């Protein structure tokens, strides 16, 4: 398994717009081969980033998603720069242990 986490700092007042973008694009990522799940986590403390986590069967499956038309469509028409309180950070990890 392969997990990708984007840490996204959303500016105050833009939280609902940010969350709504993920609600509207539902379905784009799910139909890609190797996709396992995605979660968007809202921070409970001010100043912390949203976490956008996706889990894939492999790094290759994630890389194929990034090169897909679905990825381009899901990331089209982004929020304006003022919606963000800093740059986002992407982390990639190979899953060593997982429990359900």
């Amino acid at each position: 398994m392969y997990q990708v986490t984007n840490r996204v700092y959303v500016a105050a007042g833009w939280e609902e717009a940010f969350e709504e973008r993920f609600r509207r694009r539902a379905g784009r990522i799910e139909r890609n081969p190797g996709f396992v799940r995605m979660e968007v986590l809202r921070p409970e403390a001010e100043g912390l980033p949203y976490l956008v986590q996706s889990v894939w069967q492999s790094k290759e499956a994630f890389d194929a998603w990034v090169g897909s038309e679905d990825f381009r469509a899901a990331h089209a028409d982004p929020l304006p720069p003022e919606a963000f309180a800093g740059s986002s950070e992407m982390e990639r990890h190979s899953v060593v242990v997982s429990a359900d």
Side-chain angles (χ1 to χ4, degrees), residues 56-98:
W56 301 84
Q57 291 175 347
S58 66
K59 178 185 183 307
E60 293 76 19
F62 172 74
D63 290 340
W65 152 247
V66 171
S68 73
E69 180 56 39
D70 281 333
F71 180 88
R72 285 186 288 283
H75 292 84
D77 192 28
L79 292 174
E82 60 268 18
F84 302 98
S87 60
S88 64
E89 304 163 2
M90 182 191 299
E91 300 174 1
R92 298 175 177 220
H93 298 91
S94 294
V95 177
V96 176
V97 176
S98 178

Side-chain angles (χ1 to χ4, degrees), residues 2-81:
Y2 192 70
Q3 181 168 321
V4 178
T5 301
N6 287 303
R7 295 176 182 278
V8 183
Y9 293 87
V10 176
W14 286 93
E15 298 88 354
E16 184 57 36
F18 179 78
E19 293 175 18
E20 184 59 26
R21 283 187 53 78
F22 282 94
R23 289 185 195 99
R24 280 195 328 254
R25 76 183 207 186
R28 291 263 182 214
I29 195 171
E30 290 93 329
R31 60 182 170 215
N32 283 267
F35 172 79
V36 176
R37 78 174 169 276
M38 181 183 80
E39 295 175 321
V40 178
L41 307 176
R42 179 189 306 131
E44 290 197 3
E46 191 175 321
L48 294 177
Y50 274 80
L51 301 180
V52 180
Q53 299 177 323
S54 61
V55 178
W56 301 84
Q57 291 175 347
S58 66
K59 178 185 183 307
E60 293 76 19
F62 172 74
D63 290 340
W65 152 247
V66 171
S68 73
E69 180 56 39
D70 281 333
F71 180 88
R72 285 186 288 283
H75 292 84
D77 192 28
L79 292 174

